[in-house]
Amino acid sequence: EEAKEENLQSIKEAPHWLAVPGASWKVPDGKGSDIENIPHHPAVHLSWNDALAYCKWRGMRLPTETEWEYAARGGHEKKKYPWGDTPATEAGEGRLKKWKMNVWQGDFPIKNTKEDGYLSTAPVNSYEPNNYGLYNTIGNVWEWTATKDIIQQGNYILRGGSYLDSIDGSYNHPATMSTRMSNSPDSASSNTGVRCAMDIKGDGTEKDKKKKKRKGYHYVETEEQKRAKRREKLKNLDQDMLSKIAEEGGIEALQEFLGDAATVATPEMLKKKQQELKEMKENYAREEL
């Protein structure tokens, strides 16, 4: 009501949407509001331009729409929700009903009964994550992508729906995995945010995928890769340099230089090893007799 008194700007087709003077991610509800008590809620009032700048500042980027959907589904292809096709609520009535996402309940836009626990945004780690460990990939806030809208030229795609949407689409958008919309790059609202993406090192080929074993966002070397590195090191050794190291520092210095790429043996060590092998063969021969 206060916003109505101060600002008459609204959308003809949706009069409940009002421009709130001074609203931003720092003051999400306009003057007098702040984010002190909601530090773990998603930042809102982010335009596409804001989202792009933020991701760059973090050393990341906006995901494409395809990347966003792949991550958001958590491996559940062709399913309605990130957890599959089961309902968005579990048994119970009113507050006893367990919700799996943050959407509007009640008479929109007059009253939100908060059955899911929240009037507007929810903390970013609310509800259960998907199989990839991502929270709130539907509901809560719309998320910008780097993908342009080919129909509405100049717009960019947002995915995921928000706390102002519904389960069945009876008002606003249905909050499902296929929900999408677009907006101009300078548009922002109390239910638009961002989820950044980043690239993983690797050339993406099948050979590269077989060679490298993933561990989180980093690759660790397999034993086969380590052996290959040792063989490569031996191929490129300078024999004159090895001789010089052995002359100056002895066997210990040479072994330290080679590391685990090779084992250094003196003639005496080889002779001793041969004698051990000979004795082993003789012992086996006696046992067979």
Side-chain angles (χ1 to χ4, degrees):
E1 294 301 320
E2 187 178 335
K4 286 181 181 178
E5 291 177 7
E6 293 189 9
N7 197 317
L8 298 178
Q9 293 183 52
S10 63
I11 302 171
K12 186 177 180 180
E13 297 78 13
H16 49 276
W17 280 102
L18 296 171
V20 178
S24 71
W25 67 270
K26 291 182 180 179
V27 283
D29 297 322
K31 68 177 184 179
S33 65
D34 56 49
I35 56 174
E36 185 177 342
N37 295 321
I38 52 172
H40 302 300
H41 286 236
V44 294
H45 290 292
L46 298 183
S47 68
W48 184 87
N49 295 325
D50 295 330
L52 182 66
Y54 174 75
C55 289
K56 283 185 176 180
W57 176 72
R58 290 295 306 272
M60 296 186 276
R61 60 177 174 80
L62 282 173
T64 64
E65 184 177 16
T66 301
E67 289 174 327
W68 185 95
E69 183 162 339
Y70 180 87
R73 286 186 176 279
H76 287 292
E77 295 183 18
K78 300 180 180 179
K79 300 296 182 181
K80 191 174 184 179
Y81 302 113
W83 57 83
D85 286 327
T86 55
T89 60
E90 293 181 3
E93 294 295 332
R95 291 297 181 88
L96 297 177
K97 187 184 293 183
K98 184 179 179 181
W99 286 77
K100 299 177 183 177
M101 61 180 176
N102 181 19
V103 292
W104 188 282
Q105 299 92 40
D107 184 10
F108 185 86
I110 300 171
K111 183 179 181 181
N112 185 345
T113 58
K114 299 190 293 184
E115 291 175 18
D116 58 17
Y118 303 97
L119 178 64
S120 58
T121 59
V124 293
N125 61 348
S126 301
Y127 312 105
E128 292 296 318
N130 69 12
N131 287 347
Y132 295 162
L134 301 179
Y135 292 84
N136 293 305
T137 55
I138 56 172
N140 217 21
V141 296
W142 286 95
E143 297 173 4
W144 287 104
T145 73
T147 301
K148 293 181 178 180
D149 188 339
I150 60 174
I151 298 174
Q152 293 181 286
Q153 296 293 318
N155 282 9
Y156 286 87
I157 301 296
L158 296 105
R159 295 295 302 270
S162 77
Y163 68 88
L164 293 175
D165 293 307
S166 57
I167 290 179
D168 56 6
S170 55
Y171 45 82
N172 297 331
H173 297 81
T176 66
M177 286 311 313
S178 59
T179 298
R180 67 197 294 265
M181 72 168 186
S182 73
N183 214 336
S184 58
D186 59 352
S187 295
S189 64
S190 63
N191 66 335
T192 56
V194 65
R195 189 185 301 263
C196 300
M198 67 185 300
D199 296 314
I200 299 173
K201 291 182 179 180
D203 60 20
T205 62
E206 286 303 313
K207 183 179 179 182
D208 178 68
K209 290 174 185 176
K210 289 177 181 178
K211 270 197 323 184
K212 294 179 178 178
K213 182 180 178 182
R214 285 282 304 279
K215 184 177 181 181
Y217 283 111
H218 305 281
Y219 287 114
V220 294
E221 288 184 328
T222 63
E223 287 303 316
E224 184 180 347
Q225 285 178 295
K226 290 177 181 177
R227 285 194 294 271
K229 273 191 174 181
R230 290 195 289 267
R231 288 195 295 269
E232 192 62 30
K233 186 175 182 179
L234 287 173
K235 284 181 188 176
N236 300 321
L237 289 176
D238 185 325
Q239 295 301 318
D240 292 335
M241 182 177 68
L242 293 179
S243 298
K244 187 176 180 182
I245 291 172
E247 286 173 12
E248 295 178 353
I251 259 186
E252 291 79 8
L254 185 57
Q255 184 65 69
E256 183 179 350
F257 173 77
L258 291 172
D260 61 358
T263 300
V264 179
T266 63
E268 291 78 12
M269 291 168 65
L270 289 174
K271 187 175 180 181
K272 183 179 178 182
K273 191 68 176 177
Q274 288 174 341
Q275 184 61 35
E276 289 175 355
L277 290 172
K278 183 180 178 182
E279 290 174 359
M280 285 176 63
K281 286 181 182 178
E282 290 174 351
N283 290 333
Y284 287 138
R286 290 195 199 98
E287 288 176 4
E288 288 178 357
L289 292 173

PDB file of all heavy atoms in Angstrom, residues 91-110:
ATOM      1  N   ALA A  91       2.723 -35.691   2.665  1.00  0.00           N
ATOM      2  CA  ALA A  91       1.464 -35.798   3.409  1.00  0.00           C
ATOM      3  C   ALA A  91       1.341 -34.806   4.552  1.00  0.00           C
ATOM      4  O   ALA A  91       2.319 -34.448   5.201  1.00  0.00           O
ATOM      5  CB  ALA A  91       1.307 -37.219   3.943  1.00  0.00           C
ATOM      6  N   GLY A  92       0.104 -34.349   4.788  1.00  0.00           N
ATOM      7  CA  GLY A  92      -0.174 -33.415   5.870  1.00  0.00           C
ATOM      8  C   GLY A  92      -1.065 -32.292   5.386  1.00  0.00           C
ATOM      9  O   GLY A  92      -1.260 -32.111   4.182  1.00  0.00           O
ATOM     10  N   GLU A  93      -1.610 -31.536   6.298  1.00  0.00           N
ATOM     11  CA  GLU A  93      -2.459 -30.408   5.965  1.00  0.00           C
ATOM     12  C   GLU A  93      -1.859 -29.133   6.535  1.00  0.00           C
ATOM     13  O   GLU A  93      -1.324 -29.122   7.644  1.00  0.00           O
ATOM     14  CB  GLU A  93      -3.870 -30.613   6.536  1.00  0.00           C
ATOM     15  CG  GLU A  93      -4.636 -31.769   5.906  1.00  0.00           C
ATOM     16  CD  GLU A  93      -4.943 -31.551   4.437  1.00  0.00           C
ATOM     17  OE1 GLU A  93      -5.057 -30.377   4.040  1.00  0.00           O
ATOM     18  OE2 GLU A  93      -5.040 -32.536   3.691  1.00  0.00           O
ATOM     19  N   GLY A  94      -1.991 -28.037   5.786  1.00  0.00           N
ATOM     20  CA  GLY A  94      -1.497 -26.749   6.269  1.00  0.00           C
ATOM     21  C   GLY A  94      -0.034 -26.799   6.623  1.00  0.00           C
ATOM     22  O   GLY A  94       0.795 -27.244   5.840  1.00  0.00           O
ATOM     23  N   ARG A  95       0.312 -26.355   7.836  1.00  0.00           N
ATOM     24  CA  ARG A  95       1.712 -26.324   8.266  1.00  0.00           C
ATOM     25  C   ARG A  95       2.299 -27.719   8.446  1.00  0.00           C
ATOM     26  O   ARG A  95       3.501 -27.877   8.539  1.00  0.00           O
ATOM     27  CB  ARG A  95       1.826 -25.543   9.577  1.00  0.00           C
ATOM     28  CG  ARG A  95       1.559 -24.039   9.432  1.00  0.00           C
ATOM     29  CD  ARG A  95       2.610 -23.407   8.522  1.00  0.00           C
ATOM     30  NE  ARG A  95       2.404 -21.976   8.382  1.00  0.00           N
ATOM     31  CZ  ARG A  95       2.915 -21.069   9.200  1.00  0.00           C
ATOM     32  NH1 ARG A  95       3.640 -21.449  10.221  1.00  0.00           N
ATOM     33  NH2 ARG A  95       2.695 -19.792   8.998  1.00  0.00           N
ATOM     34  N   LEU A  96       1.450 -28.741   8.530  1.00  0.00           N
ATOM     35  CA  LEU A  96       1.945 -30.117   8.680  1.00  0.00           C
ATOM     36  C   LEU A  96       2.395 -30.687   7.341  1.00  0.00           C
ATOM     37  O   LEU A  96       3.065 -31.707   7.284  1.00  0.00           O
ATOM     38  CB  LEU A  96       0.860 -31.008   9.291  1.00  0.00           C
ATOM     39  CG  LEU A  96       0.403 -30.646  10.710  1.00  0.00           C
ATOM     40  CD1 LEU A  96      -0.726 -31.576  11.151  1.00  0.00           C
ATOM     41  CD2 LEU A  96       1.573 -30.748  11.690  1.00  0.00           C
ATOM     42  N   LYS A  97       2.008 -30.022   6.277  1.00  0.00           N
ATOM     43  CA  LYS A  97       2.404 -30.469   4.941  1.00  0.00           C
ATOM     44  C   LYS A  97       3.861 -30.071   4.702  1.00  0.00           C
ATOM     45  O   LYS A  97       4.258 -28.931   4.969  1.00  0.00           O
ATOM     46  CB  LYS A  97       1.500 -29.817   3.903  1.00  0.00           C
ATOM     47  CG  LYS A  97       1.700 -30.334   2.489  1.00  0.00           C
ATOM     48  CD  LYS A  97       0.834 -29.545   1.516  1.00  0.00           C
ATOM     49  CE  LYS A  97      -0.635 -29.797   1.735  1.00  0.00           C
ATOM     50  NZ  LYS A  97      -1.459 -29.090   0.740  1.00  0.00           N
ATOM     51  N   LYS A  98       4.677 -30.986   4.216  1.00  0.00           N
ATOM     52  CA  LYS A  98       6.087 -30.705   3.975  1.00  0.00           C
ATOM     53  C   LYS A  98       6.305 -30.329   2.512  1.00  0.00           C
ATOM     54  O   LYS A  98       6.072 -31.129   1.618  1.00  0.00           O
ATOM     55  CB  LYS A  98       6.952 -31.913   4.335  1.00  0.00           C
ATOM     56  CG  LYS A  98       8.443 -31.630   4.197  1.00  0.00           C
ATOM     57  CD  LYS A  98       9.274 -32.830   4.591  1.00  0.00           C
ATOM     58  CE  LYS A  98      10.760 -32.530   4.412  1.00  0.00           C
ATOM     59  NZ  LYS A  98      11.596 -33.693   4.759  1.00  0.00           N
ATOM     60  N   TRP A  99       6.758 -29.099   2.295  1.00  0.00           N
ATOM     61  CA  TRP A  99       6.999 -28.617   0.937  1.00  0.00           C
ATOM     62  C   TRP A  99       8.446 -28.877   0.518  1.00  0.00           C
ATOM     63  O   TRP A  99       9.356 -28.843   1.344  1.00  0.00           O
ATOM     64  CB  TRP A  99       6.688 -27.128   0.844  1.00  0.00           C
ATOM     65  CG  TRP A  99       5.210 -26.857   0.856  1.00  0.00           C
ATOM     66  CD1 TRP A  99       4.379 -26.876   1.950  1.00  0.00           C
ATOM     67  CD2 TRP A  99       4.402 -26.562  -0.271  1.00  0.00           C
ATOM     68  NE1 TRP A  99       3.084 -26.609   1.561  1.00  0.00           N
ATOM     69  CE2 TRP A  99       3.066 -26.408   0.200  1.00  0.00           C
ATOM     70  CE3 TRP A  99       4.645 -26.408  -1.629  1.00  0.00           C
ATOM     71  CZ2 TRP A  99       2.002 -26.109  -0.640  1.00  0.00           C
ATOM     72  CZ3 TRP A  99       3.588 -26.106  -2.468  1.00  0.00           C
ATOM     73  CH2 TRP A  99       2.284 -25.957  -1.985  1.00  0.00           C
ATOM     74  N   LYS A 100       8.638 -29.104  -0.786  1.00  0.00           N
ATOM     75  CA  LYS A 100       9.974 -29.379  -1.311  1.00  0.00           C
ATOM     76  C   LYS A 100      10.568 -28.191  -2.058  1.00  0.00           C
ATOM     77  O   LYS A 100      11.684 -28.267  -2.574  1.00  0.00           O
ATOM     78  CB  LYS A 100       9.919 -30.591  -2.241  1.00  0.00           C
ATOM     79  CG  LYS A 100       9.443 -31.857  -1.549  1.00  0.00           C
ATOM     80  CD  LYS A 100       9.343 -33.000  -2.541  1.00  0.00           C
ATOM     81  CE  LYS A 100       8.803 -34.262  -1.877  1.00  0.00           C
ATOM     82  NZ  LYS A 100       8.639 -35.375  -2.852  1.00  0.00           N
ATOM     83  N   MET A 101       9.805 -27.080  -2.117  1.00  0.00           N
ATOM     84  CA  MET A 101      10.309 -25.880  -2.787  1.00  0.00           C
ATOM     85  C   MET A 101       9.523 -24.668  -2.301  1.00  0.00           C
ATOM     86  O   MET A 101       8.480 -24.794  -1.671  1.00  0.00           O
ATOM     87  CB  MET A 101      10.185 -26.024  -4.303  1.00  0.00           C
ATOM     88  CG  MET A 101       8.763 -26.212  -4.796  1.00  0.00           C
ATOM     89  SD  MET A 101       8.711 -26.378  -6.588  1.00  0.00           S
ATOM     90  CE  MET A 101       6.974 -26.717  -6.851  1.00  0.00           C
ATOM     91  N   ASN A 102      10.035 -23.490  -2.619  1.00  0.00           N
ATOM     92  CA  ASN A 102       9.429 -22.241  -2.169  1.00  0.00           C
ATOM     93  C   ASN A 102       8.592 -21.610  -3.275  1.00  0.00           C
ATOM     94  O   ASN A 102       9.135 -21.001  -4.209  1.00  0.00           O
ATOM     95  CB  ASN A 102      10.536 -21.271  -1.721  1.00  0.00           C
ATOM     96  CG  ASN A 102       9.981 -19.955  -1.208  1.00  0.00           C
ATOM     97  OD1 ASN A 102       8.809 -19.861  -0.855  1.00  0.00           O
ATOM     98  ND2 ASN A 102      10.828 -18.941  -1.167  1.00  0.00           N
ATOM     99  N   VAL A 103       7.282 -21.758  -3.176  1.00  0.00           N
ATOM    100  CA  VAL A 103       6.336 -21.130  -4.104  1.00  0.00           C
ATOM    101  C   VAL A 103       5.210 -20.490  -3.291  1.00  0.00           C
ATOM    102  O   VAL A 103       5.163 -20.612  -2.073  1.00  0.00           O
ATOM    103  CB  VAL A 103       5.756 -22.148  -5.117  1.00  0.00           C
ATOM    104  CG1 VAL A 103       6.828 -22.632  -6.080  1.00  0.00           C
ATOM    105  CG2 VAL A 103       5.114 -23.330  -4.392  1.00  0.00           C
ATOM    106  N   TRP A 104       4.297 -19.828  -3.964  1.00  0.00           N
ATOM    107  CA  TRP A 104       3.193 -19.156  -3.277  1.00  0.00           C
ATOM    108  C   TRP A 104       2.095 -20.149  -2.918  1.00  0.00           C
ATOM    109  O   TRP A 104       1.718 -20.989  -3.723  1.00  0.00           O
ATOM    110  CB  TRP A 104       2.620 -18.067  -4.187  1.00  0.00           C
ATOM    111  CG  TRP A 104       1.612 -17.172  -3.525  1.00  0.00           C
ATOM    112  CD1 TRP A 104       0.302 -17.462  -3.264  1.00  0.00           C
ATOM    113  CD2 TRP A 104       1.826 -15.847  -3.059  1.00  0.00           C
ATOM    114  NE1 TRP A 104      -0.316 -16.414  -2.658  1.00  0.00           N
ATOM    115  CE2 TRP A 104       0.605 -15.386  -2.514  1.00  0.00           C
ATOM    116  CE3 TRP A 104       2.928 -14.982  -3.034  1.00  0.00           C
ATOM    117  CZ2 TRP A 104       0.438 -14.117  -1.969  1.00  0.00           C
ATOM    118  CZ3 TRP A 104       2.766 -13.726  -2.496  1.00  0.00           C
ATOM    119  CH2 TRP A 104       1.547 -13.304  -1.958  1.00  0.00           C
ATOM    120  N   GLN A 105       1.570 -20.026  -1.691  1.00  0.00           N
ATOM    121  CA  GLN A 105       0.374 -20.785  -1.299  1.00  0.00           C
ATOM    122  C   GLN A 105      -0.675 -19.775  -0.827  1.00  0.00           C
ATOM    123  O   GLN A 105      -0.339 -18.804  -0.155  1.00  0.00           O
ATOM    124  CB  GLN A 105       0.669 -21.763  -0.149  1.00  0.00           C
ATOM    125  CG  GLN A 105       1.699 -22.827  -0.462  1.00  0.00           C
ATOM    126  CD  GLN A 105       3.096 -22.389  -0.082  1.00  0.00           C
ATOM    127  OE1 GLN A 105       3.317 -21.769   0.949  1.00  0.00           O
ATOM    128  NE2 GLN A 105       4.061 -22.707  -0.938  1.00  0.00           N
ATOM    129  N   GLY A 106      -1.905 -20.027  -1.176  1.00  0.00           N
ATOM    130  CA  GLY A 106      -2.974 -19.123  -0.747  1.00  0.00           C
ATOM    131  C   GLY A 106      -3.602 -18.379  -1.900  1.00  0.00           C
ATOM    132  O   GLY A 106      -3.557 -18.817  -3.051  1.00  0.00           O
ATOM    133  N   ASP A 107      -4.173 -17.231  -1.598  1.00  0.00           N
ATOM    134  CA  ASP A 107      -4.909 -16.425  -2.578  1.00  0.00           C
ATOM    135  C   ASP A 107      -3.975 -15.370  -3.172  1.00  0.00           C
ATOM    136  O   ASP A 107      -3.709 -14.338  -2.558  1.00  0.00           O
ATOM    137  CB  ASP A 107      -6.100 -15.757  -1.871  1.00  0.00           C
ATOM    138  CG  ASP A 107      -6.980 -14.977  -2.843  1.00  0.00           C
ATOM    139  OD1 ASP A 107      -6.770 -15.109  -4.064  1.00  0.00           O
ATOM    140  OD2 ASP A 107      -7.861 -14.236  -2.373  1.00  0.00           O
ATOM    141  N   PHE A 108      -3.472 -15.634  -4.363  1.00  0.00           N
ATOM    142  CA  PHE A 108      -2.524 -14.694  -4.981  1.00  0.00           C
ATOM    143  C   PHE A 108      -3.273 -13.524  -5.612  1.00  0.00           C
ATOM    144  O   PHE A 108      -4.279 -13.724  -6.281  1.00  0.00           O
ATOM    145  CB  PHE A 108      -1.696 -15.413  -6.060  1.00  0.00           C
ATOM    146  CG  PHE A 108      -0.630 -14.541  -6.655  1.00  0.00           C
ATOM    147  CD1 PHE A 108       0.606 -14.449  -6.052  1.00  0.00           C
ATOM    148  CD2 PHE A 108      -0.882 -13.790  -7.796  1.00  0.00           C
ATOM    149  CE1 PHE A 108       1.596 -13.620  -6.585  1.00  0.00           C
ATOM    150  CE2 PHE A 108       0.099 -12.963  -8.336  1.00  0.00           C
ATOM    151  CZ  PHE A 108       1.342 -12.882  -7.721  1.00  0.00           C
ATOM    152  N   PRO A 109      -2.807 -12.293  -5.454  1.00  0.00           N
ATOM    153  CA  PRO A 109      -1.634 -11.836  -4.693  1.00  0.00           C
ATOM    154  C   PRO A 109      -1.993 -11.306  -3.311  1.00  0.00           C
ATOM    155  O   PRO A 109      -1.203 -10.592  -2.703  1.00  0.00           O
ATOM    156  CB  PRO A 109      -1.118 -10.711  -5.575  1.00  0.00           C
ATOM    157  CG  PRO A 109      -2.377 -10.062  -6.076  1.00  0.00           C
ATOM    158  CD  PRO A 109      -3.363 -11.195  -6.289  1.00  0.00           C
ATOM    159  N   ILE A 110      -3.173 -11.661  -2.830  1.00  0.00           N
ATOM    160  CA  ILE A 110      -3.671 -11.074  -1.581  1.00  0.00           C
ATOM    161  C   ILE A 110      -3.043 -11.668  -0.339  1.00  0.00           C
ATOM    162  O   ILE A 110      -2.609 -10.963   0.571  1.00  0.00           O
ATOM    163  CB  ILE A 110      -5.216 -11.211  -1.502  1.00  0.00           C
ATOM    164  CG1 ILE A 110      -5.849 -10.476  -2.687  1.00  0.00           C
ATOM    165  CG2 ILE A 110      -5.748 -10.678  -0.185  1.00  0.00           C
ATOM    166  CD1 ILE A 110      -7.332 -10.727  -2.844  1.00  0.00           C
TER     167      ILE A 110
END
